[in-house]
Amino acid sequence: SSDLMAEDSTPLFIHTHPGGKAVFSRHDDAVDASLRAALRGMGGDGRYVSLVVAGTQDQTAVAGRHFIQDDATPVDKLRIVGHRIRVIVLTPGAALPSKETFDRQIRVFGPAGQEILAALNVAVVGAGGTGSATAEQLTRLGVGTITIIDDDIVTDPTPTRGYGMTVADIGRPKAEVLAGHLRKTGLPTTVVSVTAPIQSAVARHMLGSADIAFSCVDGHGARLVLNRWAYAHLAPVVDLAVLVSADVSTTAVTGVDGRVTWLAPDP
């Protein structure tokens, strides 16, 4: 309906080719063109997604394309939410870097596992001691895209905890400094930095394309935003926290505690 278009939603049309191939036929082209014209008449902005599911129950194949007006680009992956969250790469080999670079990981995950990592878009919220370490490891794992979101700057204590952050960076945005550090690895990960609070429109927009988010924040306000994001986008959030306790009177460390919380929608 026109109300749906007013909500800035993207229409999605799915049809099947039982026992057939996951390719768009001329008839599919005509149907998509007709539906796009009808949606524009309802107030749509020209965005439209078409999927075809083919093959058999035991061996399913999927193809997809995303239209903006009359320009179509292939859908490169699908995220399926159920009792477990699955990522299916629709363009095998497109995002996979050289096997030599990630040889040790491919031995563990297999080529398909490394291919999924290379297709992932991951958001890291918080670029401090925990967030910078997380982003560093994700880059070295070969994740395809990392979006770093943090509105803070590097201060005097930051270089003792933040990966890639030096005394010369004091006063610069943490997200920007960390992104520059990760790019220097020369690995194929695309790194995007966003210097803005998680509640801002620009941060929410960048989160919209993430497949998974790592929460590396101190405040519960940011965790609340990510909690709602997990349910709105049907994607998981991994919340990480480390607490170092000390006795001020004796300057002795009394404990180091870590917490990992997996947050995901319950289908």
Side-chain angles (χ1 to χ4, degrees):
S1 71
S2 58
D3 290 339
L4 179 63
M5 297 296 101
E7 293 176 359
D8 197 31
S9 300
T10 299
L12 169 65
F13 176 67
I14 305 175
H15 71 284
T16 61
H17 291 176
K21 297 182 179 180
V23 295
F24 291 96
S25 65
R26 291 183 179 178
H27 177 70
D28 296 334
D29 294 341
V31 170
D32 283 344
S34 175
L35 287 174
R36 295 199 321 272
L39 290 166
R40 281 195 295 268
M42 295 164 58
D45 61 3
R47 292 179 299 163
Y48 169 82
V49 177
S50 179
L51 293 179
V52 56
V53 181
T56 64
Q57 186 174 1
D58 296 329
Q59 192 169 6
T60 304
V62 182
R65 53 189 179 185
H66 175 217
F67 287 89
I68 300 178
Q69 301 300 336
D70 292 324
D71 296 327
T73 56
V75 174
D76 56 2
K77 66 186 174 188
L78 293 177
R79 184 172 65 238
I80 300 175
V81 180
H83 293 293
R84 57 191 293 259
I85 295 176
R86 299 172 55 208
V87 174
I88 298 178
V89 179
L90 300 185
T91 53
L96 191 62
S98 67
K99 294 181 179 179
E100 291 76 14
T101 302
F102 296 103
D103 172 70
R104 301 301 187 271
Q105 292 165 204
I106 291 175
R107 296 185 191 190
V108 176
F109 303 136
Q114 192 64 41
E115 190 169 62
I116 290 174
L117 285 173
L120 286 180
N121 186 328
V122 177
V124 177
V125 184
T130 304
S132 62
T134 299
E136 173 104 11
Q137 293 305 311
L138 289 170
T139 300
R140 297 187 185 279
L141 275 173
V143 165
T145 300
I146 297 176
T147 301
I148 304 167
I149 301 172
D150 195 310
D151 64 341
D152 201 2
I153 62 172
V154 177
T155 59
D156 290 327
T158 307
T160 63
R161 308 184 317 279
Y163 281 56
M165 301 183 192
T166 69
V167 172
D169 296 314
I170 292 174
R172 295 181 58 203
K174 285 183 180 179
E176 181 182 305
V177 173
L178 179 57
H181 165 68
L182 298 178
R183 294 186 189 111
K184 288 178 183 177
T185 63
L187 293 169
T189 300
T190 298
V191 185
V192 180
S193 63
V194 179
T195 303
I198 189 65
Q199 298 89 345
S200 67
V202 63
R204 295 200 309 270
H205 174 74
M206 296 303 293
L207 272 173
S209 57
D211 299 302
I212 183 173
F214 284 82
S215 170
C216 307
V217 299
D218 295 326
H220 292 307
R223 290 190 176 97
L224 175 60
V225 173
L226 290 169
N227 179 83
R228 298 187 67 176
W229 176 83
Y231 282 81
H233 291 267
L234 301 179
V237 171
V238 181
D239 186 73
L240 307 173
V242 177
L243 174 66
V244 180
S245 305
D247 186 331
V248 178
S249 62
T250 62
T251 66
V253 174
T254 57
V256 179
D257 301 286
R259 186 195 72 220
V260 178
T261 303
W262 172 270
L263 176 68
D266 184 12

